[in-house]
Amino acid sequence: MNDVVLEVADASKRYGETQAVASVNLALRAGEILCLLGPSGSGKTSLLRLVAGLERLDAGTLHIGGREVDDARRACLPPEQRGLGMVFQDYALWPHLSVLDNVGLPLRERGDGDWRAAARTALDQVGLGTLERRFPYELSGGQQQRVALARAIAARPRLLLFDEPLSNLDAKLRDELREVIAHTVREAGIAALYITHDQSEAFFLADRLGVMRHGTLLQLDRPERLYERPASPFVAHFTGAAGPFAVEIMDGVLSWAGVIAPCAMPVPEGAAVLYLRSQWLRPVSAADDTVPGTVRVSGYAGDGWSALVDLPNGSIHLRLDRRVEAGERLHLRVDWDKALLYAEGHVAAG
Ligand SMILES: Nc1ncnc2c1ncn2[C@@H]1O[C@H](COP(=O)(O)OP(=O)(O)OP(=O)(O)O)[C@@H](O)[C@H]1O
């Protein structure tokens, strides 16, 4: 497809004994935000550094805008010639330059005569149009990160790389800035590869979302799909599902510590594991067709009560609309159509 901006094919990178990136394949289109989520050490930053040109591939190829930028067997294009912008956790602003000069400097350096106008447009896009004369030390962390974003988009890159850009900011600012990033990147039609530890940030921003583990891209899907049908127990767990709960599948029926339920996912007969998301369970008054739960601890959560509830062989965090006390017994109706089931052997395989 001709609007593919980034194509990563069989990309691998090893550091000594560590396989940091293992045969990763992905394609990223113009205007698309692709988020990579994964635990520490799963290879997210290594993949980003390969795309940026800060590291060389051991195997595979990278194309940006249809042009080969790295092939393990040939010469590689340096970062500054790859037509990309980067936004990192530390804002990396020049302390002695004003906001306008910070955003405009890369444009001046490449001989862009109209750099002021381009820098002002970018500052307007991130909502900082009125602060162009300030210096970085006169800005909050959130404002500094907006300047870094403006600097990255002002150069009109084809591809933007984000490495945990919001992790130094407090929760409220993170929410605000992720909206600025989503709006700005989509409006500018730039392709973005965005790595984060933060699930809600990844789900919010991503057109497609990938989960990495041990250098491998386990699943790459639309966020809704990844949430509703994680391909493995690891992806289910890493995207916040509770489990594993040990269950048994027999004659197409699920049996969980005495609870019998229909089995919605195609899973082989025998021992299996169940994962549940909290909104798929709801307390009801009658005990029929319900799962027993016992409140271990609870607290007020603004729009309801948050409770850690013990279930047969495991526990789950639930949001409830009334106060519950420790020790209280609940009858929980489960939305079995949504329940996630995997053959038991799947757990170790990730
Ligand atoms: N320059 C390096 N030299 C040796 N090992 C490295 C180097 N860079 C990364 N690694 C190793 O490669 C693996 C992947 O690291 P990477 O930084 O890509 O993970 P990550 O998913 O980005 O983690 P984090 O979320 O903590 O940033 C880790 O085991 C790490 O220790």
Side-chain angles (χ1 to χ4, degrees):
M1 225 182 292
N2 56 8
D3 67 344
V4 171
V5 173
L6 169 68
E7 198 174 358
V8 178
D10 278 326
S12 293
K13 179 72 185 175
R14 174 182 281 277
Y15 297 104
E17 292 296 293
T18 307
Q19 189 70 50
V21 177
S23 287
V24 168
N25 289 284
L26 59 86
L28 180 52
R29 293 182 190 84
E32 186 182 32
I33 302 179
L34 194 155
C35 290
L36 291 177
L37 197 59
S40 189
S42 58
K44 306 180 297 293
T45 301
S46 300
L47 181 59
L48 204 79
R49 289 176 61 81
L50 287 167
V51 173
L54 302 170
E55 297 284 352
R56 286 296 312 270
L57 287 170
D58 292 338
T61 55
L62 284 174
H63 286 79
I64 296 177
R67 184 175 181 194
E68 182 180 288
V69 298
D70 195 4
D71 179 320
R73 296 157 304 180
R74 285 192 280 274
C76 119
L77 206 65
E80 62 278 10
Q81 291 176 28
R82 294 190 176 196
L84 46 81
M86 300 181 217
V87 182
F88 294 128
Q89 188 172 334
D90 59 358
Y91 323 120
L93 301 180
W94 292 287
H96 58 291
L97 294 183
S98 70
V99 164
L100 186 68
D101 288 337
N102 258 286
V103 176
L105 188 62
L107 304 172
R108 283 166 77 180
E109 282 179 344
R110 74 179 190 198
D112 193 332
D114 212 7
W115 67 269
R116 275 193 189 80
R120 286 194 173 115
T121 303
L123 282 169
D124 283 339
Q125 280 176 291
V126 301
L128 279 190
T130 56
L131 302 184
E132 64 170 61
R133 297 162 81 98
R134 291 219 193 151
F135 286 85
Y137 68 88
E138 297 173 306
L139 300 175
S140 68
Q143 289 167 334
Q144 290 185 46
Q145 196 54 301
R146 284 179 195 239
V147 177
L149 177 62
R151 183 176 56 188
I153 60 169
R156 314 274 325 153
R158 279 182 292 232
L159 173 63
L160 264 180
L161 305 179
F162 290 91
D163 190 353
E164 309 252 5
L166 308 183
S167 55
N168 279 343
L169 304 173
D170 65 41
K172 190 166 169 291
L173 262 179
R174 279 206 301 270
D175 287 354
E176 193 182 303
L177 263 183
R178 70 186 193 181
E179 289 161 8
V180 173
I181 290 175
H183 179 71
T184 311
V185 168
R186 293 212 173 94
E187 200 169 49
I190 300 170
L193 185 61
Y194 190 109
I195 69 175
T196 177
H197 274 105
D198 185 318
Q199 264 181 53
S200 69
E201 194 176 307
F203 274 100
F204 178 86
L205 282 167
D207 294 302
R208 279 185 304 146
L209 178 55
V211 176
M212 290 190 73
R213 185 193 196 192
H214 301 326
T216 304
L217 189 53
L218 291 179
Q219 186 173 0
L220 179 62
D221 249 318
R222 285 180 294 112
E224 317 85 277
R225 176 81 193 156
L226 202 120
Y227 190 83
E228 286 158 14
R229 280 289 171 260
S232 66
F234 180 84
V235 176
H237 173 76
F238 200 75
T239 55
F245 303 105
V247 298
E248 192 77 24
I249 310 291
M250 205 127 28
D251 300 329
V253 171
L254 174 160
S255 155
W256 179 21
V259 180
I260 303 292
C263 176
M265 277 171 89
V267 187
E269 303 274 297
V273 288
L274 166 71
Y275 285 80
L276 294 169
R277 299 201 187 273
S278 55
Q279 61 276 32
W280 302 340
L281 284 78
R282 140 184 90 84
V284 291
S285 47
D288 298 353
D289 297 328
T290 61
V291 174
T294 306
V295 176
R296 197 189 307 173
V297 59
S298 74
Y300 183 58
D303 56 349
W305 279 263
S306 173
L308 176 62
V309 177
D310 289 321
L311 301 179
N313 60 41
S315 60
I316 191 166
H317 290 276
L318 296 183
R319 183 58 65 91
L320 304 167
D321 56 12
R322 65 175 177 86
R323 177 186 286 280
V324 287
E325 303 294 343
E328 193 172 329
R329 287 170 191 276
L330 303 174
H331 306 299
L332 298 164
R333 180 138 300 148
V334 177
D335 193 345
W336 288 110
D337 285 348
K338 296 191 168 145
L340 306 170
L341 280 166
Y342 306 91
E344 196 185 47
H346 212 138
V347 174

